[in-house]
Amino acid sequence: SGLRQPLDLRQRTVERQQPRGMVHGVLLLALLATEGFAGWTCTRPLARTTSIYRASWYASPVGRRASPVGSLDARDGCELPRTLLLQTAIQAQLSYSVEFKNELMGRWLSSFMGHEHLRVARTGDYGSGAISFRGLDGGLRCSWSDYLRSMLSARPQEYEVRYKVGTADIGHWPKAPDGEEGAPATPKTADGSPAPWADASASRRNNPYLQNAEPVYRIYTEVIEPRRVARSLMQVREQLAGEWAADLRSIALEGEELRSWFCDQQFSSANFDKLCAPPSDIPVGGANDGFIAPDENTDGFIADIAAKGADAPAAAALALIFAIAKSCWSHMDSPFRASNYDLLQRAVTREASLRALRALSGENEATANWLKEQMETRLPVFEKPVRRFEGGHFLVELMAQGPAMRTAPDGSVSIIDPALAVDRLLEERLRIAVEWIAVLQGTADEHGELLRDDLTKQLNAQISTD
């Protein structure tokens, strides 16, 4: 009908019992083997603890990871994929709430332990919405396991929902230009055509009898069971783990593909022109070099072909590599898989850079210092990317650097060898891919352990009360 009902929620407590080279060759073999809803209010039970938790999180060593280059010794690389899995699972679950217009569940989930920044903005009547947070750090306010444990042990919460019947669902419509009055522009479907209910909705808005009629409200109660939500998040994490294991294989091989492309670019102008041409099967367009996909329902990919100047060849090559990986995807993929691919690429590249820096520090100090300078400049962009494939662009930029000499204050001369840094970085990318695939394959077992612990806790509590 095209109607949205503003909600007025009043939470009530539910008191009831809860139910209880050679290196590359070896690594390759291992790799192959393996918006705002005006009109509703919600008393959030975690509103007070959220601010406390957020303050303690940013004061903790884990929360202070804004400069990854300066915190090498405090990192556990294998925890990052687990954390990102839950972060993207929350975004996927919020996407489902947006798609099915379940405002109550979306608001509750985003507010649980203060994760409003992971919200998914509604972009239309159809589709999964648009994610607002794409960073690698700071996505979760606690560890992934503590988040799930807290949700498993939380009590059911009952809400009284009161909504006004007949309110037009225009929250996602384009707003009128500044300084102009009147109704928003006509809503459109995903393909750009006017919504089938747009005329009827406009007629209702202009009907004076309906405008002057007494508003009609409906009230009902709804119970949110955190344990059931936690189980749903675990199912989404397991689906994502399977997708990421496949994507990691593509990302691991991407480095050698980029190096081959870069060498061909240096010596073959014909191949250069070919790679600069946009792939015929990828739609082109969009803002911010195509980083923002226009159709988040299918996570439609827009290649970075719009990039100008020196970035255009690399953008075209990266788009082609991505298109090959994407051709193997299923139509049953999770929401935002293309965005998650980009997130995973940045994460692997960043962690590989940190490991490469550590290895070079004892091998070639001048090259290590040079790599650190490059990382200090580029890695912060990984947290707030403005285009796709920042991880791939970083690799290409390192490959484009030639050797140089650096004179120390004491007069000694050192040689900076970017090719050595790239070699180490690509080797570490392969190692990380193998390690993370193994981590992802254990996702279901980790969930089983959490559920067993939760069941044991329930049984012990029941025994103690008896």
Side-chain angles (χ1 to χ4, degrees), residues 376-431:
E376 292 283 3
T377 302
R378 293 290 306 171
L379 293 192
V381 180
F382 285 13
E383 286 298 314
K384 295 183 178 180
V386 295
R387 59 180 177 180
R388 288 196 188 271
F389 313 128
E390 286 290 358
H393 281 291
F394 180 61
L395 289 176
V396 173
E397 290 173 7
L398 294 183
M399 294 175 188
Q401 302 294 321
M405 301 184 68
R406 176 171 296 179
T407 303
D410 60 0
S412 61
V413 178
S414 303
I415 297 178
I416 299 175
D417 187 359
L420 176 62
V422 171
D423 286 341
R424 296 292 178 270
L425 199 158
L426 295 184
E427 290 174 5
E428 295 300 339
R429 272 177 124 237
L430 282 171
R431 288 193 178 95

Side-chain angles (χ1 to χ4, degrees), residues 9 36 97 115 159 162 174 192 228 233 240-241 338 347 407 439 441 457:
L9 307 181
S97 298
H115 289 81
Y159 291 85
R162 178 177 181 266
R228 180 173 295 181
L233 287 174
L240 289 171
T407 303
V439 170
Q441 290 173 342
K457 185 185 299 183

Side-chain angles (χ1 to χ4, degrees), residues 79-270:
E79 277 301 298
L80 183 58
R82 296 185 176 100
T83 300
L84 293 179
L85 266 184
L86 181 56
Q87 172 182 314
T88 52
I90 294 172
Q91 290 174 324
Q93 197 77 340
L94 290 172
S95 168
Y96 297 141
S97 298
V98 167
E99 187 169 5
F100 294 104
K101 300 182 181 180
N102 189 344
E103 296 104 325
L104 173 58
M105 177 58 69
R107 177 65 68 89
W108 183 89
L109 180 58
S110 63
S111 66
F112 186 79
M113 301 185 81
H115 289 81
E116 291 87 350
H117 60 290
L118 296 181
R119 70 183 184 89
V120 175
R122 187 176 173 198
T123 56
D125 290 317
Y126 307 97
S128 304
I131 58 178
S132 56
F133 183 84
R134 301 176 184 270
L136 301 178
D137 290 329
L140 296 184
R141 304 309 192 196
C142 58
S143 71
W144 68 273
S145 56
D146 286 345
Y147 180 96
L148 291 175
R149 286 193 182 97
S150 298
M151 187 173 287
L152 285 170
S153 60
R155 291 190 175 190
Q157 298 164 12
E158 184 177 90
Y159 291 85
E160 181 181 274
V161 184
R162 178 177 181 266
Y163 67 88
K164 180 181 178 181
V165 178
T167 303
D169 185 11
I170 60 175
H172 62 283
W173 289 13
K175 297 181 179 180
D178 293 340
E180 295 185 14
E181 297 181 356
T186 302
K188 299 183 182 299
T189 60
D191 60 3
S193 60
W197 48 264
D199 291 339
S201 180
S203 176
R204 285 192 296 271
R205 289 199 309 274
N206 297 326
N207 189 320
Y209 296 99
L210 294 179
Q211 294 294 331
N212 296 329
E214 288 294 325
V216 177
Y217 294 92
R218 293 181 181 175
I219 301 175
Y220 67 93
T221 59
E222 185 170 343
V223 177
I224 291 180
E225 300 185 49
R227 178 172 284 105
R228 180 173 295 181
V229 179
R231 288 177 177 270
S232 297
L233 287 174
M234 291 180 183
Q235 292 175 350
V236 176
R237 283 187 89 235
E238 291 173 18
Q239 179 186 358
L240 289 171
E243 294 175 357
W244 287 18
D247 292 343
L248 277 170
R249 292 181 175 90
S250 300
I251 291 172
L253 300 176
E254 175 190 63
E256 288 302 326
E257 293 290 337
L258 281 175
R259 180 147 57 182
S260 298
W261 165 82
F262 185 79
C263 293
D264 290 342
Q265 175 183 295
Q266 301 301 309
F267 299 105
S268 174
S269 59

